[in-house]
Amino acid sequence: MATLTESVKESLVGTTVEPQLSQQAWTTFDRNARKDVESGELYMSEDEFINAIAPANEDYHKIKREQYEILFRVADRRRLGRINLQDWGAFDNLLAKPDAEYEIAFRLFDEDGVGTIKYEKFQNLYNLNKGESSIPFDWDCEWASLYIGGRKHRHDMTYPQFSQMLRGLQGERIRQAFHQFDKDHDGYIEPEDFQRIILETARHKLSDHLLDNLHTLCNISTGTKISYANVRAFQNVIRDMDLVDLIIRNATEKSDDGKITRTDFLNEAARVTRFSLFTPMEADILFHFAGLDAPSGRLALSDFSKVLDASWQSAYALGANTSEPAKEAISKTKRYLHNFLESAHHFGLGSVAGAFGAFMVYPIDLVKTRMQNQRNSRVGEAVYKNSIDCASKVIKNEGFRGLYSGLVPQLIGVAPEKAIKLTVNDLIRGYYSEMNTGKIWWPHEVLAGGSAGACQVMFTNPLEIVKIRLQVQGEAAKSNAGAPRRGALWIVKNLGLVGLYKGASACLLRDVPFSCIYFPTYNHLKRDFFGESPSKKLGVLQLLTAGALAGMPAAYLTTPCDVIKTRLQVEARKGDTTYTSLRHCAKTVYREEGLSAFFKGGAARVLRSSPQFGFTLASYEVLQKLLPMPGNTDDRPATGHVEPGVGLREAKAPLPYLRSRNALKIILDLDENFGRPKIPTGKSWIPLPGLAGKAGS
């Protein structure tokens, strides 16, 4: 009955439903709120509010963290100096709106919450927050009267009118400031005056590199002063930063070396834009500031990032204002330390990936070894008909565990073996690859692979000889019942240091060409067949397939070398030929068993090596993504990620913070001092209206 009554009441008089809080919003409020001692209600004061919308680990060198306090006025709907869960829910709901940035700015000035802004209240709040030394702005000018009416005919501003006024405000501020500094009325100002204008009107939107070099704008022409045309062109460039970013990204992707010229930029702009074409002066300004450290005229994304990425900080801002020798010494130390740690990181991941790949295909490797060691020079000597027959007989005679004979030393040895191979290949490829595009000349790819294969032999050969002797013990025990089974330590002790490197020349002959074939093929399959690029990351299945396909030709074409290595490293049984050298082994096998003997176990080798390297490389790249090198990230800045990166990479900070920051950017277009604590005047601070009551809360 009560439910029916409530339903009728709601249908007659209506109901008010507070915005529904998301789980994330509720968690944020609960984490930052404090409890009122008397009422038990959770609430946030200004400090807790700032912690909620401005995480401490973000980058605040552009917009100071204390300036976010001004947004508290928007959230504090009841003007109590504190907000409860419902207030926070309303503010969180506001942040979720598509036009949240402009609506937050509007609500800051709409003190009465009636949906319009009175000019007197707007002017009062503006005067309270602008800096005392700020460049004056004439609100009685013709431009302002178009939005707020003339001095004698002021009218309230609606939300659309107010937001459109803010959209064009920065341009009008710059125009008025130029007129103020143009004392001679000749259309030119001094570089220092231009720098002051931009610092006051757009400091919160521009990178340190741009701000530090504003005075050099005069160098794009032959004079020493800056014209109004220069200023307007500069403003157009910074206003269309996102479009400039898109054009540069498209142009650099089409360039062979990842670098573009002014002509390339203008040509790409003509392809991308319909009406917003860039003038020659605007292109000159962009390339001037981007090319200050690279005056060749051909610039890469890294050069443009210093202009486009507002998070980019100068060395001085990062605390590197030390002497040149000290900076060089620090730089070298950091570089060497970073290289060492990076190598150790690669080594660790390569060890895990190598062990995983070896374990997955070890039974196939055992079958391959048994087949290669089988000699058929005498009739009836062959034990196995083929690889399948070999596997079935191993299981029958030695049990399922027989397929994993010698696994432990294999896993112990394969970790450093694969780690060295992957690390050396990565380091040499990195040395020869172009820094900006990652492209590498194919002979350098072969060199990187071959070097990796050669370096691994120091671990591969001892591992292989112990593993092989353990793998063939089972068949020796089958033919000779009295043959003792030896452990890995006994084999190592019996062989000695020199014996462990028996067949090393054959091992080199196998591993170097294998890696020369494998690594370039793998990388070309990823890039050319699966389409890997900076904007497209491959999945595990694609990486696994690329690794497996690359392993097929590499494994089969090097099978003859693997057969020779196996024959040299296996302990000869009674009646078998004992090989004395690589050449002697090759000649004897060919004479006694024919050419086909060099491809024994070839199918098993392909079946083993192909998936093994597929598993190894796929797991290696997955581990690199899951466990990246600490501090080695492409996103800027290193902490915060507050701005979208160059190349249209999205910002990584929480969305409420991003929306709040963007709203502050719009508010700061009025004056950069909005939200900053005021210098004491007399005995009191200048407060924001509506916030004075917080002290007693």
Side-chain angles (χ1 to χ4, degrees):
M1 185 67 180
T3 303
L4 178 61
T5 304
E6 291 173 1
S7 299
V8 172
K9 180 180 178 181
E10 289 179 4
S11 63
L12 292 175
V13 300
T15 182
T16 301
V17 180
E18 291 287 345
Q20 295 299 308
L21 273 176
S22 65
Q23 183 61 43
Q24 181 181 1
W26 163 253
T27 303
T28 302
F29 181 83
D30 186 61
R31 183 173 60 246
N32 292 282
R34 67 169 72 176
K35 182 179 289 188
D36 187 279
V37 178
E38 296 180 359
S39 65
E41 181 188 39
L42 292 176
Y43 73 94
M44 288 195 294
S45 64
E46 289 176 3
D47 292 338
E48 289 81 33
F49 177 80
I50 292 176
N51 291 334
I53 66 167
N57 62 330
E58 297 299 340
D59 181 3
Y60 297 100
H61 88 285
K62 286 296 172 191
I63 301 176
K64 302 307 179 185
R65 191 163 181 254
E66 61 267 19
Q67 290 183 275
Y68 285 80
E69 185 177 341
I70 198 172
L71 301 182
F72 182 80
R73 176 176 171 77
V74 177
D76 184 15
R77 302 176 296 173
R78 299 170 297 161
R79 300 294 186 263
L80 298 176
R82 57 196 288 175
I83 62 173
N84 59 17
L85 181 60
Q86 287 70 36
D87 296 327
W88 173 254
F91 185 76
D92 179 73
N93 184 260
L94 174 60
L95 290 175
K97 289 189 173 183
D99 58 343
E101 293 85 353
Y102 280 98
E103 189 162 344
I104 287 173
F106 178 80
R107 292 194 183 190
L108 176 66
F109 290 93
D110 180 17
E111 295 182 351
D112 300 326
V114 295
T116 58
I117 298 175
K118 296 185 178 296
Y119 171 74
E120 295 76 12
K121 293 190 175 182
F122 168 80
Q123 189 68 42
N124 181 46
L125 187 57
Y126 170 78
N127 289 333
L128 284 173
N129 283 275
K130 74 181 183 69
E132 293 182 0
S133 59
S134 297
I135 300 173
F137 183 80
D138 181 13
W139 287 101
D140 293 326
C141 68
E142 184 178 352
W143 176 88
S145 66
L146 296 174
Y147 293 98
I148 59 179
R151 179 178 296 183
K152 296 181 180 179
H153 303 283
R154 301 293 193 198
H155 62 76
D156 298 345
M157 283 184 286
T158 63
Y159 172 56
Q161 292 171 337
F162 177 78
S163 57
Q164 203 60 46
M165 182 192 74
L166 289 184
R167 174 75 170 163
L169 178 62
Q170 189 178 68
E172 178 62 16
R173 287 185 66 198
I174 291 175
R175 188 191 69 80
Q176 288 191 23
F178 186 92
H179 276 297
Q180 179 176 334
F181 288 110
D182 181 17
K183 305 296 185 182
D184 299 330
H185 303 288
D186 59 357
Y188 290 91
I189 60 175
E190 296 293 336
E192 294 76 17
D193 296 331
F194 168 72
Q195 186 169 27
R196 182 185 172 189
I197 291 172
I198 300 303
L199 286 175
E200 286 201 19
T201 58
R203 185 202 305 264
H204 55 288
K205 292 182 176 180
L206 304 180
S207 70
D208 286 359
H209 171 81
L210 208 52
L211 297 176
D212 292 342
N213 294 283
L214 287 171
H215 61 281
T216 66
L217 182 61
C218 62
N219 294 331
I220 69 167
S221 61
T222 55
T224 59
K225 292 189 175 184
I226 295 174
S227 68
Y228 184 68
N230 297 148
V231 175
R232 182 58 66 184
F234 178 85
Q235 185 196 356
N236 290 343
V237 170
I238 64 174
R239 184 189 60 194
D240 294 327
M241 284 290 197
D242 291 332
L243 179 58
V244 172
D245 190 352
L246 173 63
I247 295 169
I248 290 172
R249 183 190 61 164
N250 287 353
T252 52
E253 285 181 351
K254 295 175 182 177
S255 172
D256 291 335
D257 60 356
K259 297 181 179 181
I260 61 171
T261 62
R262 173 181 177 277
T263 302
D264 296 328
F265 173 81
L266 290 173
N267 288 340
E268 188 60 31
R271 297 187 188 99
V272 171
T273 61
R274 292 187 177 91
F275 310 110
S276 180
L277 295 178
F278 289 87
T279 66
M281 182 180 289
E282 290 165 1
D284 287 339
I285 288 174
L286 173 64
F287 274 75
H288 164 72
F289 286 108
L292 288 173
D293 298 326
S296 63
R298 291 186 61 80
L299 305 179
L301 271 177
S302 58
D303 299 312
F304 290 107
S305 67
K306 293 181 291 188
V307 176
L308 302 178
D309 186 358
S311 296
W312 193 93
Q313 298 186 45
S314 66
Y316 183 86
L318 293 173
N321 53 330
T322 55
S323 64
E324 288 302 319
K327 285 194 289 185
E328 185 176 353
I330 293 171
S331 177
K332 285 184 177 180
T333 302
K334 286 183 176 179
R335 184 168 66 250
Y336 292 143
L337 181 60
H338 179 271
N339 290 341
F340 172 77
L341 293 175
E342 187 175 37
S343 298
H345 179 256
H346 288 322
F347 193 91
L349 297 185
S351 299
V352 176
F356 174 72
F359 177 80
M360 295 297 290
V361 299
Y362 191 81
I364 302 175
D365 183 58
L366 180 133
V367 171
K368 183 266 307 179
T369 302
R370 295 279 180 97
M371 290 296 297
Q372 289 180 341
N373 187 51
Q374 179 171 270
R375 311 192 186 193
N376 54 9
S377 57
R378 294 193 297 271
V379 178
E381 186 178 341
V383 179
Y384 312 117
K385 298 176 183 179
N386 50 49
S387 297
I388 296 176
D389 180 58
C390 177
S392 62
K393 285 182 177 178
V394 169
I395 295 174
K396 179 181 178 181
N397 298 324
E398 305 171 43
F400 185 77
R401 293 181 61 184
L403 291 174
Y404 287 91
S405 298
L407 175 63
V408 174
Q410 168 77 343
L411 293 182
I412 293 173
V414 81
E417 173 209 335
K418 291 296 186 290
I420 285 177
K421 176 183 284 191
L422 296 171
T423 301
V424 171
N425 179 70
D426 278 357
L427 291 177
I428 296 180
R429 280 186 68 89
Y431 179 80
Y432 285 110
S433 297
E434 293 181 11
M435 185 174 296
N436 298 310
T437 64
K439 293 181 179 179
I440 182 173
W441 188 35
W442 71 264
H444 289 156
E445 289 187 284
V446 175
L447 174 64
S451 301
C455 290
Q456 78 173 51
V457 171
M458 62 181 294
F459 281 98
T460 303
N461 209 81
L463 160 72
E464 289 280 328
I465 195 168
V466 174
K467 179 196 71 173
I468 286 171
R469 296 200 175 192
L470 287 170
Q471 286 178 335
V472 299
Q473 269 191 146
E475 64 183 22
K478 176 90 168 47
S479 59
N480 184 3
R485 295 186 70 89
R486 308 293 190 184
L489 292 177
W490 186 92
I491 294 173
V492 172
K493 184 177 179 181
N494 186 60
L495 286 171
L497 182 61
V498 176
L500 286 173
Y501 284 91
K502 184 178 181 181
S505 55
C507 206
L508 275 171
L509 192 62
R510 178 198 66 175
D511 289 345
V512 171
F514 179 95
S515 297
C516 285
I517 297 170
Y518 181 81
F519 283 109
T521 305
Y522 173 70
N523 284 285
H524 279 280
L525 281 171
K526 288 198 303 176
R527 186 176 68 244
D528 302 330
F529 185 76
F530 291 105
E532 184 182 46
S533 68
S535 59
K536 180 184 178 182
K537 302 300 180 184
L538 301 186
V540 176
L541 185 60
Q542 293 168 308
L543 294 172
L544 186 61
T545 304
L549 291 175
M552 291 179 181
Y556 193 77
L557 293 175
T558 55
T559 298
C561 304
D562 195 47
V563 170
I564 294 172
K565 179 195 70 67
T566 300
R567 295 291 181 90
L568 285 170
Q569 292 181 334
V570 170
E571 187 176 6
R573 288 175 289 176
K574 188 175 181 180
D576 287 344
T577 303
T578 300
Y579 306 114
T580 58
S581 66
L582 189 151
R583 179 179 295 182
H584 175 253
C585 179
K587 289 174 65 177
T588 304
V589 171
Y590 178 73
R591 184 179 65 251
E592 295 181 354
E593 304 174 54
L595 183 64
S596 61
F598 287 105
F599 289 91
K600 280 184 176 181
R605 178 166 163 77
V606 170
L607 288 174
R608 190 269 295 176
S609 296
S610 176
Q612 178 181 1
F613 275 88
F615 281 120
T616 300
L617 267 295
S619 58
Y620 181 64
E621 297 206 23
V622 169
L623 285 171
Q624 283 185 315
K625 294 175 184 177
L626 294 177
L627 302 170
M629 172 77 176
N632 192 18
T633 175
D634 291 334
D635 294 316
R636 290 187 57 87
T639 59
H641 314 283
V642 294
E643 296 287 350
V646 176
L648 300 185
R649 293 174 298 178
E650 64 180 21
K652 305 291 180 157
L655 189 59
Y657 166 68
L658 295 176
R659 280 283 171 77
S660 301
R661 179 210 61 194
N662 290 341
L664 270 177
K665 284 185 177 181
I666 294 172
I667 295 170
L668 294 180
D669 281 347
L670 287 162
D671 192 283
E672 66 167 341
N673 294 290
F674 259 78
R676 287 184 176 177
K678 291 294 183 179
I679 299 174
T681 303
K683 297 181 180 179
S684 62
W685 293 79
I686 300 178
L688 282 173
L691 298 185
K694 71 172 184 172
S697 64

